[in-house]
Amino acid sequence: PLSAGWLPALQFVRRGSKAVTRHWKAMHFQRQKLMAVTEYLAPRPAVPPRCLAPRKETLEEDDGYVRLLRRQVEEVFRDNRMIAICQYNSMPDEDVVLMRHYLRKHNIEVKFVLNEIVRPVLSQSKYKNLLPLFVARNILLVSPETKAKEMLRVLKGVPQINLLGACIDDTILSRQGVENFAKLPSLEASQGQTAGALALLPSQTSSLLQRGSAHLTALLDQHIRRLQAGETGSPAEPAPAQSLGAH
Amino acid sequence: KKMASKISVVLRPVKSIVVRFCPFESNVESTRKFLGCINHKKIQATNRNCEVTADVRHDGSEPLVDVMFADGERLIMKGANLTTIEMLTALRSRCNAKELQEEQKSKKKSP
């Protein structure tokens, strides 16, 4: 049995701080050695990755939303006669709504488009020359009618939207072209003008053909009058009438 | 890398900005983005009197940014080989320099 007053073999020294401190406490040397030995070493590949052939990343899974948007763009290009492309700089929302309202009155619809959707659609269709237009933010103004004048008037009142170009009736026009197009007279007026110009020539042809014989009759009438006035009378008449019959 | 829309320009010493480009060319991307950034609410709010005009041509000329300052100085940036961020930082540094000059002048006038 142990004697009454025994001293423990180990004595924990209470000097300085406790085990759990609020400051960083220096580790015991043995612990330090253990931590140094068991540090994490990242695994390195045997061949550095740049020596291997580059892995082709699997490109877009082509989700249904993208396909739907593409289909919508194709429909837009097919259904509308006039498609104008404008650059959209950020505009206050009320202005956007107002502009949409004014354009709706002329049956022009405003569509916001994303370049990454429109570019593949265009490159496959026949509108390849519209490709360089689709950089930075754009909007499309589409309409089944070609009311260029009203559209330009509305866009003039909105400084933050700049018309870049348009495709009217499958003809690609620049901004200048759209302005010229707006200055043209309407289709009915120009059709009437063409019809009038075409009809002018045939009307002139008939008078041209008859001019020779009309001139001859006039000359002969004058001659007759002079003869009648000079009273040489009837022998002169049947001779000019026979020559007229031979014509 | 810095985003072009995060660069804030103080347009107070600027009187007008004209951006000219030809959209059917292929080197107009940075100029168009520059125009889009300049038209942002925050930058427009710094100076309501500054008129930003966009000149859309079709003559194959190169993209151009023409900045007219209030003290008559003119800054022309040819955007064909510049990026948007470069153009914005150039404009910003010049505007800041002008602002400092004006502050110094007003300090001298009213000691």
Side-chain angles (χ1 to χ4, degrees):
Chain A
L2 287 165
S3 55
W6 61 274
L7 283 171
L10 279 173
Q11 278 202 328
F12 298 107
V13 180
R14 272 196 307 169
R15 65 165 305 274
S17 43
K18 303 193 171 108
V20 179
T21 52
R22 288 185 190 179
H23 59 267
W24 286 115
K25 201 167 91 159
M27 282 190 220
H28 198 267
F29 189 58
Q30 281 172 345
R31 189 172 174 211
Q32 257 181 334
K33 280 198 275 191
L34 192 69
M35 298 293 277
V37 165
T38 53
E39 248 176 41
Y40 174 68
L41 286 172
R44 277 154 94 213
V47 185
R50 56 194 172 154
C51 291
L52 294 166
R55 214 176 4 138
K56 297 265 166 66
E57 305 269 347
T58 48
L59 296 170
E60 351 109 19
E61 301 133 7
D62 208 25
D63 22 284
Y65 187 51
V66 170
R67 251 181 291 147
L68 172 74
L69 290 171
R70 284 208 190 124
R71 227 185 312 142
Q72 276 186 349
V73 172
E74 280 165 20
E75 273 172 28
V76 156
F77 271 100
R78 238 183 304 142
D79 298 337
N80 299 295
R81 276 179 70 194
M82 172 168 87
I83 306 165
I85 303 158
C86 308
Q87 164 135 357
Y88 173 75
N89 306 312
S90 51
M91 228 159 82
D93 295 326
E94 317 82 67
D95 287 1
V96 175
V97 172
L98 260 178
M99 187 194 72
R100 270 200 136 122
H101 172 67
Y102 282 127
L103 287 174
R104 258 253 161 260
K105 280 194 180 171
H106 299 298
N107 200 8
I108 302 180
E109 209 180 300
V110 176
K111 283 201 183 291
F112 284 81
V113 287
L114 283 177
N115 293 336
E116 59 221 21
I117 296 176
V118 185
R119 283 190 151 245
V121 174
L122 282 187
S123 56
Q124 279 160 9
S125 72
K126 55 182 174 172
Y127 301 101
K128 291 208 179 64
N129 291 322
L130 285 172
L131 268 178
L133 284 182
F134 284 94
V135 186
R137 295 187 75 183
N138 300 301
I139 55 173
L140 290 180
L141 308 174
V142 299
S143 161
E145 303 144 26
T146 57
K147 290 186 168 170
K149 220 183 293 186
E150 286 84 2
M151 188 180 76
L152 279 176
R153 214 178 298 152
V154 172
L155 288 178
K156 222 191 294 183
V158 186
Q160 292 103 330
I161 293 213
N162 318 115
L163 177 65
L164 301 173
C167 177
I168 304 185
D169 283 336
D170 288 344
T171 334
I172 297 185
L173 298 167
S174 71
R175 197 221 171 91
Q176 196 59 43
V178 176
E179 284 167 16
N180 292 340
F181 178 78
K183 283 191 204 132
L184 286 177
S186 73
L187 190 64
E188 292 83 24
S190 40
Q191 273 175 345
Q193 262 184 353
T194 328
L198 284 173
L200 187 64
L201 293 174
S203 61
Q204 274 184 350
T205 324
S206 62
S207 59
L208 268 178
L209 286 173
Q210 287 175 346
R211 206 174 55 172
S213 30
H215 194 55
L216 187 59
T217 24
L219 279 177
L220 289 168
D221 275 332
Q222 245 193 356
H223 188 64
I224 292 167
R225 263 183 245 124
R226 229 186 293 149
L227 289 177
Q228 279 177 348
E231 281 191 347
T232 21
S234 29
E237 268 195 38
Q242 276 173 12
S243 63
L244 268 179
H247 271 292
Chain B
K1 289 284 161 172
K2 207 125 200 261
M3 269 194 43
S5 53
K6 294 251 171 64
I7 301 179
S8 58
V9 184
V10 181
L11 288 180
R12 228 168 292 133
V14 174
K15 198 164 47 157
S16 72
I17 303 181
V18 178
V19 184
R20 188 180 324 152
F21 59 89
C22 170
F24 288 94
E25 297 280 314
S26 48
N27 51 2
V28 296
E29 182 179 339
S30 55
T31 317
R32 279 181 71 177
K33 287 206 176 134
F34 177 78
L35 179 65
C37 293
I38 273 211
N39 270 317
H40 204 259
K41 271 186 294 193
K42 283 189 197 155
I43 300 182
Q44 291 278 307
T46 60
N47 185 357
R48 295 263 171 213
N49 299 329
C50 176
E51 306 148 6
V52 180
T53 0
D55 195 0
V56 180
R57 306 254 182 107
H58 192 43
D59 44 8
S61 60
E62 47 178 58
L64 196 71
V65 177
D66 192 346
V67 188
M68 196 69 175
F69 289 99
D71 52 3
E73 210 182 291
R74 211 168 153 197
L75 167 67
I76 300 187
M77 293 195 272
K78 303 210 174 154
N81 293 320
L82 291 169
T83 63
T84 324
I85 299 180
E86 282 172 17
M87 291 201 265
L88 279 168
T89 37
L91 184 63
R92 182 184 188 207
S93 58
R94 285 204 175 68
C95 285
N96 288 343
K98 291 265 157 84
E99 289 269 296
L100 282 172
Q101 272 179 5
E102 281 191 27
E103 269 177 47
Q104 280 171 356
K105 270 189 212 165
S106 57
K107 272 188 193 161
K108 273 188 203 166
K109 275 185 193 169
S110 55

